[in-house]
Amino acid sequence: STCLSTSPFLFSIACLFTEALLLSLVFPQGSKHRQLLATLRALEAASLPQQPPSLPGSDSEEEIVERKKKCPKKTSFPSVSIEVGKKRKKKCQKQGPPGSDSEEKEVERKKKCLKGIFSASDSAEEDKRKKKRQKQVHSNPAQHLDNDNLTGPKACKSSATNDLSKPNAGTSANPPHTLSRKQWRNRQKNKRRHKNKFRPPQPPDQAPATAPTEETEVPPDPSLHRQEDRAGALRSRMAQRLDGARFRYLNEQLYSEPSSAARRLFQEDPEAFLLYHRGFQSQVKKWPLQPVDRIAKDLRQRPASLVVADFGCGDCRLASSIRNPVHCFDLASLDPRVTVCDMAQVPLEDESVDVAVFCLSLMGTNIRDFLEEANRVLKPGGLLKVAEVSSRFEDVRTFLGAVTKLGFKVISKEQPCPWLIVGKKRKGFLRKVEFLLLCSPFC
Ligand SMILES: C[S@@+](CC[C@H](N)C(=O)[O-])C[C@H]1O[C@@H](n2cnc3c(N)ncnc32)[C@H](O)[C@@H]1O
């Protein structure tokens, strides 16, 4: 009826159609009937110009009737739906939020219910959201307590207030109450205390800590360099101490074993020889004067033609310090001038040298062998020069007694500490000995 009311043209067709039907029932063969049908056809042709062309003679009366039945439906439904939609819209506008929204809310609610069943985390999320809202309100207590002109809906404000008033307000059904200013402050204090509990301590003048981000550049800490330097220095000190300890250990071995053992030791472990000499150098450089330099100074005052044999020469410092020809002997070689051998047996002819030197090298338990070998290679009237630490001897007198029995005459001794040169010139002795005794041990 709505359709017909909107289109008078269609209305008239419908009237004619109804009339034709009635006439056809009353006068099935009448002329009025035919007339009406013709009119109907004409009207139909006029009213349906856009319909696809049909084959001639295909349209029966029933078809036409059928088409007419369908036609108003086709034209009327969209307009009806539009009208209905418009009316609904107007209604909705009057009522407030659109009906679709309420539907959405319903769907949302259902979804939430389902989620609540399957995941407990959503309720936690809901709590978080509520807490967030609480925080927002907390951040401005004045607003919370005094400001009535909040931009958000009042319901929101009241819920925030409820949340503040009770820690479990989000889940509790208890009636809400607003916090007093004092209560609110206490709560803030407690929160701050709780936070600081888990925060690393900061200096009081520093700004509150912000979460470190990737963009945050950490300024280089100068104390780190100092720490590294200190660590490096400590490492080298420790390494020095370790070397010192190993030197003392080797030194002890050289003094407490026969020279044959010492030779084996350095043959098997050449590194030990290097280490021993590093340790020796680091010790001896602390002394006010190196004994080898003292001996070199004395030899420089004598003729450079004198042949010198350096027993236990080390790094050939003596050979480097004088112009005399020097035979250098040692258990291992630190210098190409060294003849590697045990000084108990040196490859020299008898009575072939003018000066024999033992500078801190009377090591091993077979000292006697060394001194006899020196006596062998020294020319008659030759000079034996010995420099040794006092701790090397239990009794210096006994030692000197033994030396004289070997055919030496002690000719001089020096004793301004730390040097002690023991010697005494005696007539009739073929060989002389100058004895430089060091008062201080290796330290
Ligand atoms: C403390 S160092 C002194 C080095 C050098 N004379 C100096 O004053 O600079 C002692 C040296 O004597 C050497 N030595 C000890 N016993 C020896 C032996 N039986 N034969 C050869 N050399 C020996 C050691 O190998 C070492 O090089």
Side-chain angles (χ1 to χ4, degrees), residues 259 273 276-277 280 312-313 330-331 341-343 359-361 363:
S259 58
F273 188 73
Y276 174 79
H277 269 278
F280 169 70
C313 60
D330 208 300
L331 293 169
C341 64
D342 182 348
M343 60 190 182
C359 182
L360 304 173
S361 58
M363 305 171 122

Side-chain angles (χ1 to χ4, degrees), residues 247 251 254-255 258-260 262-263 266 273 276-277 280-281 284 290-292 310-318 329-332 334 339 341-344 357-364 366 370 442:
F247 161 73
N251 200 50
L254 291 173
Y255 276 114
S259 58
S260 54
R263 190 168 183 196
F266 290 140
F273 188 73
Y276 174 79
H277 269 278
F280 169 70
Q281 290 302 332
V284 88
Q290 287 199 34
V292 70
D310 188 359
F311 291 77
C313 60
D315 59 359
C316 301
R317 191 178 173 108
L318 180 63
F329 304 111
D330 208 300
L331 293 169
L334 291 174
T339 303
C341 64
D342 182 348
M343 60 190 182
V357 176
F358 290 89
C359 182
L360 304 173
S361 58
L362 283 178
M363 305 171 122
N366 50 332
F370 307 146
F442 283 110

Side-chain angles (χ1 to χ4, degrees), residues 289-304 306 308 310 316-324 326 355 357-359 383 385 387 419 434 436:
L289 178 67
Q290 287 199 34
V292 70
D293 292 340
R294 171 72 179 74
I295 292 168
K297 187 184 171 189
D298 181 59
L299 288 176
R300 277 196 295 271
Q301 291 164 2
R302 299 173 185 260
L306 296 177
V308 179
D310 188 359
C316 301
R317 191 178 173 108
L318 180 63
S320 305
S321 310
I322 55 176
R323 288 172 291 128
N324 303 61
V326 181
V355 182
V357 176
F358 290 89
C359 182
L383 180 67
K385 289 175 96 55
W419 308 105
E434 282 184 350
L436 177 66

Side-chain angles (χ1 to χ4, degrees), residues 1-7 10 68-88:
S1 64
T2 317
C3 177
L4 293 174
S5 68
T6 52
S7 176
L10 288 171
K68 283 192 178 177
K69 275 183 186 173
K70 282 176 188 173
C71 181
K73 277 182 189 171
K74 273 183 186 172
T75 51
S76 67
F77 274 144
S79 63
V80 168
S81 66
I82 291 162
E83 283 297 312
V84 170
K86 278 180 186 173
K87 278 178 188 173
R88 263 191 209 160

